[in-house]
Amino acid sequence: MGNRYTFIMASFLVISSMLSAQDKNKDVFIEGLMEQMTLEEKIGQVSLFTTDWESTGPTIRDTYKKDIASGQCGALFNAHTVPFTRELQKIAVEETRLKIPLLFGYDVIHGYRTIFPIPLAESCSWDLDLIEETARIAAKEASSAGLHWTFAPMVDISRDPRWGRVMEGAGEDTWLGSRIAEARVKGFQGPDRIGQTDAVVSCLKHFVGYGASTAGRDYHYTEISALTMHELYLPPFKAGLDAGALTVMTAFNDINGMPATAHKPLLNDLLKQTWGFKGFVVTDYTSINELVEHGIAADERDAARMSLNAGVDMDMQGGLFQAHLANLIESKENTLDQLDDAVKRILSIKYDLGLFEDPYKFSDQTRYDSIILHTAHRKVAREMAQKSFVLLKNEHQLLPLSKENDQVILLGPLLDTQVDLMGAWSAAGEGEDCISIQKGIDDYLGGNKSLKVKKIGAFDNSMLSEDQINQALELASDTDIVILTMGENRDMSGEAASRANPVIPPSQTQLLSALKSKDKKVVVLLMNGRPLIMTEVDSLADAIIEMWWPGVEAGPAIAEVLYGDVNPSGKLTMTFPRSVGQIPIYYNERNTGRPHIPGIKWNTQFIDESNDPLYPFGYGLSYTSFDYDNLNVSCNPCLLEEPITVSVNLSNTGLYKGREVVQLYIRDKHGKTTRPAKELRGFETVELNPDETVMVKFELNKSDFLHLDMELREVFQAGDFEIMVGGHSQDVLSVNIVIEN
Ligand code: GLC
């Protein structure tokens, strides 16, 4: 046998022995530590408590320092900054018997101190690399402040804008949501950076189906068929785990009669056994305690028993593992093995982070001071804000504005706000870090405060007085163009912020209507955490830019877009309804047996509303225009053994350079279960100069055409398929093909 082969084999044996030695060292270390631990010390490791620095739930706790010193707390959240994490870690590693370091977690959802656009906004950029980069920056800043673990990404799919937490997710589509989950996990953790001081452990949440809360009412129960659970809600979790996510958080909701936090088939059987998840499962805030209110646990002791049995490893803020596990194990209602498995999962992550070697390694003031809110981070925040903006309307090419020729004024309730720009879940973000819309535009126009402004409009259901309206009209009297900020304040979306009627507050629409009665050109800058009901605004405004809550660089970002330095390219990842009665409304609906045919009575429709949304999934305009033609598929009929290539010609037919998100959809005309009329299966982003044409290519493989049968088996059904490509889900070129076995 050649020397070369021998050398390769020898190297392989050495490397594999090194790796297994590392793992062996870890196993030996953890086993050795666990042998020394008392039952109480083990129970301490599965208990997570908040500090009293801030409250992100219904209870607060101020005994955490005693809990640490007594070994009853293995992890804390809402504890950050170098001084505070060092102070608390010191208690753990100097005052406890075994000196096991603490894990520090925090909701770093869209930035730690450099606050990026909210996750729903980021998803509208369709820029996976940039989404990964903002998560990477968030991890760098958070880890320098002593944090090891972020309770992100939130990967809940939702089709209901009444649910305030849609702002934390990636919209309504499972395929896109899965790609974004992968990008965020890689940004936070990796790849393979756990243990380095610029990465944090990610946490996929909320497992599972929280986005299906009945009527969009937060914490409400969910009725989810097995097919929908496995087709719609679970895949982004599986994608995040495949990307390396190390923790999972259970959801508050009851799933078909069993709360997620006590759901053994999903937690232990699917997540841990079938999917082989080796990290740990943490509950959401006191969700073990809530099993009593759910009516599934007789009391808090029973709740602790059920959740450990189901596969929960760590109790967030409930204090029930701490209070009851010793007794439950002594009475054999839970086993020591269950506790040991949970403890081992938690210690394994502390080991991988390197905390046993240096418990203070993440709490580094020098690094913190050198990177926090760095100009390079702000630059990325501005780019992400601009790519997340969605141009919803632009009548007669009103935008971009001309700095020289267009006299504008700025009105509305959000023109000078700073803190609202961060949206909910703004971690260590400070309002003063945010550049307001007013400052951004004023600076862009010369910074001499020449821009006339008037803060006007409410967020409740009150209307403006005649006097207020007249003042605004007076200010606008000698100008043609009004920039009008409209939307929600940051408290109107997020957790515990469901809205039965998610409209734009009426006083804001009232002002728009008054301005239009005076023939003003109005550019609406919309800030919100969810799709809003805004049919009247759409009919009145001349131009509308969906800004979401755009983060620290909001002002400069929108100024550069308004005046054409940047051409907006965002595309909606969540459908905007025309009315609340249409909800849930989403692009990938199943066809029904009586699909909608305009003018035909006996089909699926409303008699008082269109079936169509105001703005569909994937929609977004540009200052330029794009044309699609020559859609081509490499085969017909096709065999699945080789990839299917789809191509289309894309032309920039307008006057500006622009970026287009070219979307690829499929339709399986008949399957083992009914199939959506359209399913996103790919996208490409393309930058084109005016008059430039390129061929955009996609590759489809067998996995793109699989679906689940009634037994939840992945199947392929040969037959008729439709391949579609276009600029949004309702504007596509299509071709029919046959795919054979
Ligand atoms: C909250 C949220 C969850 C968050 C946790 C800790 O109730 O549901 O997303 O990570 O508590 O703040």
Side-chain angles (χ1 to χ4, degrees):
M1 202 181 296
N3 289 338
R4 179 173 158 67
Y5 178 76
T6 308
F7 172 74
I8 290 169
M9 281 309 295
S11 309
F12 172 76
L13 291 171
V14 167
I15 290 168
S16 61
S17 67
M18 278 168 62
L19 284 176
S20 60
Q22 187 182 347
D23 287 349
K24 208 173 288 170
N25 289 342
K26 172 172 158 181
D27 289 344
V28 167
F29 175 83
I30 290 173
E31 290 301 334
L33 177 56
M34 289 182 69
E35 280 164 11
Q36 301 172 59
M37 293 171 76
T38 64
L39 181 64
E40 286 66 26
E41 285 163 337
K42 289 179 180 177
I43 292 169
Q45 288 303 306
V46 299
S47 300
L48 165 70
F49 292 115
T50 181
T51 67
D52 50 9
W53 262 31
E54 61 184 282
S55 165
T56 52
T59 64
I60 196 84
R61 189 177 182 97
D62 58 8
T63 59
Y64 50 93
K65 290 182 183 176
K66 278 192 294 197
D67 294 328
I68 299 167
S70 62
Q72 296 185 65
C73 167
L76 277 173
F77 65 112
N78 297 329
H80 52 99
T81 71
V82 173
F84 194 34
T85 54
R86 280 188 169 274
E87 176 196 354
L88 299 174
Q89 193 68 285
K90 190 170 187 296
I91 299 171
V93 300
E94 292 187 7
E95 298 181 28
T96 64
R97 188 175 74 88
L98 292 173
K99 309 183 184 336
I100 299 172
L102 291 169
L103 202 57
F104 291 115
Y106 195 42
D107 291 286
V108 182
I109 308 297
H110 52 110
Y112 171 72
R113 177 71 190 273
T114 302
I115 302 302
F116 297 102
I118 57 172
L120 181 61
E122 288 200 344
S123 71
C124 293
S125 71
W126 296 62
D127 187 330
L128 299 177
D129 293 338
L130 196 56
I131 290 170
E132 180 175 340
E133 188 175 1
T134 64
R136 181 105 289 284
I137 291 169
K140 284 179 184 173
E141 291 193 354
S143 56
S144 76
L147 290 162
H148 310 124
W149 179 29
T150 177
F151 302 141
M154 184 270 219
V155 300
D156 300 315
I157 297 297
S158 184
R159 296 159 152 178
D160 193 331
R162 293 171 295 183
W163 190 51
R165 302 199 74 166
V166 296
M167 58 139 298
E168 301 170 48
E172 70 190 40
D173 183 72
T174 295
W175 185 91
L176 182 61
S178 299
R179 304 294 77 75
I180 290 174
E182 290 159 357
R184 288 193 167 126
V185 167
K186 282 191 281 187
F188 288 131
Q189 285 189 195
D192 306 323
R193 300 179 74 96
I194 288 300
Q196 298 184 33
T197 52
D198 64 354
V200 292
V201 169
S202 62
C203 181
L204 301 172
K205 70 185 188 182
H206 307 76
F207 194 76
V208 60
Y210 187 19
S213 295
T214 302
R217 205 171 82 211
D218 212 348
Y219 316 121
H220 211 339
Y221 63 82
T222 58
E223 296 288 354
I224 306 172
S225 72
L227 183 64
T228 299
M229 178 62 85
H230 284 266
E231 273 193 341
L232 192 67
Y233 297 110
L234 283 170
F237 287 91
K238 186 66 171 60
L241 292 175
D242 291 346
L246 289 170
T247 69
V248 170
M249 183 186 293
T250 65
F252 290 119
N253 50 294
D254 163 347
I255 305 167
N256 308 334
M258 180 53 68
T261 300
H263 204 293
K264 190 170 187 297
L266 284 171
L267 290 176
N268 181 66
D269 303 352
L270 176 69
L271 180 61
K272 290 184 171 179
Q273 302 309 319
T274 306
W275 286 359
F277 176 56
K278 298 299 179 212
F280 68 80
V281 175
V282 62
T283 71
D284 202 338
Y285 213 110
T286 64
S287 60
I288 296 180
N289 314 52
E290 293 163 20
L291 297 178
V292 180
E293 280 297 340
H294 275 291
I296 200 77
D299 54 31
E300 290 189 336
R301 179 180 183 280
D302 195 32
R305 177 191 62 77
M306 291 182 78
S307 47
L308 186 66
N309 265 332
V312 166
D313 299 305
M314 186 184 276
D315 169 7
M316 179 192 281
Q317 184 54 10
L320 298 187
F321 279 4
Q322 186 191 62
H324 299 291
L325 279 196
N327 180 266
L328 285 162
I329 288 167
E330 277 150 26
S331 65
K332 299 195 185 332
E333 293 168 83
N334 288 106
T335 67
L336 182 57
D337 284 351
Q338 287 172 332
L339 176 60
D340 283 350
D341 179 62
V343 173
K344 186 172 180 183
R345 288 168 182 264
I346 293 163
L347 294 179
S348 175
I349 285 178
K350 291 184 177 182
Y351 184 93
D352 291 340
L353 284 164
L355 296 180
F356 288 104
E357 286 160 29
D358 176 2
Y360 303 101
K361 62 188 275 192
F362 283 72
S363 305
D364 179 341
Q365 195 64 51
T366 306
R367 196 160 71 82
Y368 176 91
D369 293 341
S370 69
I371 66 166
I372 217 74
L373 215 60
H374 194 284
T375 49
H377 298 175
R378 293 193 76 112
K379 184 169 178 291
V380 173
R382 185 179 307 189
E383 182 188 0
M384 176 54 91
Q386 289 169 336
K387 281 190 170 175
S388 68
F389 294 159
V390 185
L391 181 60
L392 298 175
K393 187 177 181 183
N394 192 21
E395 284 291 274
H396 313 306
Q397 284 289 69
L398 175 62
L399 296 177
L401 301 174
S402 160
K403 187 174 175 179
E404 292 70 32
N405 306 327
D406 290 331
Q407 177 63 35
V408 300
I409 68 166
L410 181 60
L411 300 179
L414 291 159
L415 56 83
D416 64 348
T417 186
Q418 291 179 279
V419 72
D420 289 312
L421 299 173
M422 297 191 290
W425 297 111
S426 54
E430 300 285 350
E432 68 208 26
D433 300 336
C434 300
I435 304 172
S436 71
I437 306 300
Q438 176 181 341
K439 185 169 186 336
I441 296 173
D442 195 59
D443 287 352
Y444 187 91
L445 294 176
N448 55 11
K449 306 252 181 292
S450 60
L451 176 66
K452 288 198 292 181
V453 302
K454 180 171 183 55
K455 190 166 182 177
I456 177 173
F459 296 107
D460 58 19
N461 287 330
S462 63
M463 298 299 273
L464 298 172
S465 66
E466 193 175 334
D467 181 46
Q468 285 174 310
I469 292 283
N470 289 338
Q471 284 178 36
L473 294 178
E474 174 57 32
L475 191 72
S477 58
D478 59 353
T479 182
D480 298 330
I481 299 176
V482 175
I483 299 172
L484 177 59
T485 60
M486 300 180 84
E488 298 180 317
N489 64 33
R490 69 186 303 218
D491 300 323
M492 295 170 74
S493 281
E495 184 176 357
S498 294
R499 293 180 64 191
N501 196 22
V503 296
I504 289 181
S507 63
Q508 300 175 29
T509 307
Q510 177 195 16
L511 176 60
L512 171 59
S513 178
L515 290 165
K516 290 306 296 173
S517 70
K518 300 295 181 189
D519 296 329
K520 299 301 174 187
K521 298 282 183 219
V522 181
V523 179
V524 167
L525 300 184
L526 190 58
M527 272 168 280
N528 42 306
R530 68 174 94 213
L532 295 176
I533 306 297
M534 51 182 285
T535 313
E536 186 181 2
V537 169
D538 175 66
S539 64
L540 289 170
D542 298 278
I544 305 171
I545 296 179
E546 171 59 82
M547 292 180 61
W548 307 107
W549 284 319
V552 290
E553 284 288 312
I558 193 62
E560 291 173 0
V561 167
L562 283 170
Y563 287 94
D565 298 346
V566 173
N567 184 355
S569 60
K571 301 269 187 172
L572 294 177
T573 57
M574 199 167 175
T575 300
F576 275 58
R578 291 180 180 281
S579 55
V580 174
Q582 292 180 308
I583 297 171
I585 181 172
Y586 44 93
Y587 87 94
N588 48 352
E589 298 182 335
R590 297 177 191 280
N591 209 39
T592 78
R594 294 192 176 187
H596 180 50
I597 304 164
I600 305 293
K601 175 181 173 62
W602 311 100
N603 68 44
T604 180
Q605 63 187 334
F606 301 103
I607 60 170
D608 60 351
E609 178 58 279
S610 158
N611 281 20
D612 286 332
L614 180 63
Y615 309 121
F617 176 85
Y619 174 82
L621 300 175
S622 171
Y623 292 154
T624 193
S625 52
F626 293 101
D627 182 64
Y628 289 75
D629 70 10
N630 197 17
L631 174 62
N632 194 285
V633 180
S634 58
C635 52
N636 191 14
C638 301
L639 290 170
L640 268 190
E641 273 47 54
E642 59 267 358
I644 296 173
T645 301
V646 179
S647 65
V648 70
N649 287 343
L650 177 74
S651 303
N652 180 341
T653 52
L655 302 175
Y656 296 88
K657 178 178 177 183
R659 168 180 178 262
E660 174 71 337
V661 180
V662 181
Q663 299 152 47
L664 169 69
Y665 298 90
I666 67 164
R667 180 183 176 187
D668 184 346
K669 294 281 184 80
H670 55 276
K672 295 292 186 189
T673 48
T674 55
R675 312 304 313 138
K678 205 165 281 168
E679 297 178 83
L680 182 72
R681 281 293 178 272
F683 67 91
E684 292 293 338
T685 55
V686 183
E687 296 260 0
L688 286 183
N689 292 313
D691 301 327
E692 195 177 0
T693 296
V694 290
M695 179 183 280
V696 182
K697 287 191 173 183
F698 300 88
E699 188 170 277
L700 286 167
N701 297 291
K702 179 165 188 175
S703 59
D704 294 308
F705 296 101
L706 299 178
H707 65 279
L708 299 178
D709 66 12
M710 289 306 284
E711 285 67 46
L712 304 180
R713 291 173 306 211
E714 270 198 334
V715 294
F716 168 71
Q717 172 98 343
D720 298 328
F721 289 80
E722 189 176 359
I723 307 296
M724 294 159 273
V725 176
H728 66 74
S729 58
Q730 288 196 343
D731 181 15
V732 292
L733 298 179
S734 108
V735 64
N736 292 313
I737 64 170
V738 172
I739 304 180
E740 298 167 345
N741 267 321

